[in-house]
Amino acid sequence: MLEDLINNLRCESSLLIKDSLRKSGACLIKSLTNQALSQQKPLLYINTEPLFSNRHSLGSLGVQNVDVFGQYDSLKERIMSSVSSANTVVVFPSISLLLLSYSVGRFAKLLRALRESDKVSSVIALMHTDVVLNEEIVDRLDYLFSSIIHVLLPESELSVYYAQVKCLRRKSNGKLETSEEYFTLDDACSLKLVHSSSSAVVRSYTQSQSGDVVSSLTFNLSLSDKEREAKNRLHLPYLKKDSEKQALLSQTHNGSSGRPLISIGDESSQTNPGGKIYYHYDEADDFDDEDPDDDLDI
Amino acid sequence: MFESLHKLLRVDSEPLENVEFMHISGEASGAGLANYSFLLHHFLSYFIKNSFRVCLVSCSQSLTQYKLIESKLGVNLERVANESQFTFVSLLTLLMEDSNTSKEKVDSYITHDPVSSIVSAVKDKLSPPTTSRQPCLLILDDLTALHDIGVTTSDILHMVCELKSGCTCVSTIVTTSLRLSESTHSEEAVSLDKQLSHWSELLFHVDELSTGLSKDVHGQLRIHRLNSLTSGKGDAETYHYKVTDRDVKLFAVGASPAVL
């Protein structure tokens, strides 16, 4: 999936790359930049941090840079006014400092405005997870982007791979696709080899589009008209019929004139032939929880 | 002096003058000076001897402390200050002077746009000779102290950026140091440390020995050369060190004279 995410920058997609000091994800930004340039897509770099040296400048020829450091009040307007060409790929080389000073809600609005813009093809952002330590912010960002690449140190110290990545992609039909892959870098710091350690898992995390849960079941829960009619006609032996219920209710009404509610042998026994036995403990009764045969060796 | 450190840093082939951002962090559990100070003092004397203009912005220590140690390393700070090669700015004194020592005024100074207040104050102190093409070194020492008086991580990072970009020298090296002692090992301090590390090309982390104090090994030093494209754990090298009166001895882990 990593190769697919990098080589096929889809329209209206947003990609979040998460890295840390232990393993940088800047090489993925560079690969994505090169890919966009090879596809003749205009690139817009939003520099939320000052560029201290050339090593931080990941851009190359054909990249438009917009410096927004410290200008967070008019950030959205500045960025939107800078998007001039169609199919523009907007890149945030680092959003960590921005997230420390700018609320996630405002960033979400900015991201939504970019995704809804006709001129923006895709949005790519890099976040250092060891700088933004607030887990709530990280979790909320996970929901804002359609694809996420988490760059990690390979589990094995002796690994020949540069990094391990955990990819996640939300498809337009609501499916969630995940994968775990490894890659190396060549001398020019571009992706050289991608090895998938686990095949992509596809699972559904939302209901089907109709919203009818019953229709997606593998067994039948619904009834046909004929079956429903037969069901309604069936009289279960332990349930009273309506006429019996009415008769009991009328007896209850008459019971207020001094007649017993249920008595064995009178006329009501025709409607309730089984009768009932009520036992009231007498004062002389010696009720004990203990087993009377407890002393016997049975 | 510090030849073993220069050898490890390959100063001959990769001069320190080309490094634009360095970060020194130290983890000290004891009171007093964090044990990264030997690196800070070395860079201070090294760049002064290499004809750099040096501006030292200290957040906790007094000038006397630096003067004493630098005199041992062969640099007379008073003389170079008179020659306008060295400028010392005590940030806390600056805040107190500007706010007329009133606690309420200090609080309002900190809460109301502390970045621009501090940056403008430091820039005023710097007042560089504009005609000079002399390269400049800016040292920001003990930024954690700003956390202690209520400045947020975001504001400290903005201050570093403003000072770095606002410096009119030809080239600038920013050395920031940070205490990560038990009392200040907060989320804010870690976040600040990590962001500064991400900006750095050369990263030093000084730590005490996990096995306790030793007469022959004073601690361990991790040197990390960071390339933003390929940085990873594998680029870091860890050494044991011993600080002597005017030098530091570095040796591979487990290869100290006490062990061998």
Side-chain angles (χ1 to χ4, degrees), chain A residues 74-91:
Chain A
S74 57
L75 183 66
K76 191 175 157 189
E77 292 74 24
R78 249 304 330 251
I79 294 172
M80 296 311 288
S81 63
S82 304
V83 182
S84 52
S85 318
N87 268 339
T88 302
V89 177
V90 179
V91 181

Side-chain angles (χ1 to χ4, degrees), chain A residues 22 24 26 49 52 55 130-131, chain B residues 20 191 199-201 228 232:
Chain A
R22 288 160 66 86
S24 171
E49 297 168 6
F52 286 144
R55 100 188 167 86
D130 46 1
V131 176
Chain B
E20 286 205 36
S191 180
W199 287 341
S200 304
E201 288 166 82
S228 68

Side-chain angles (χ1 to χ4, degrees), chain A residues 53 74 100 102 107 156 182 200 210 235 249:
Chain A
S53 62
S74 57
L100 290 178
Y102 202 66
F107 183 74
S156 167
Y182 293 83
S210 64
H235 175 65
L249 283 170

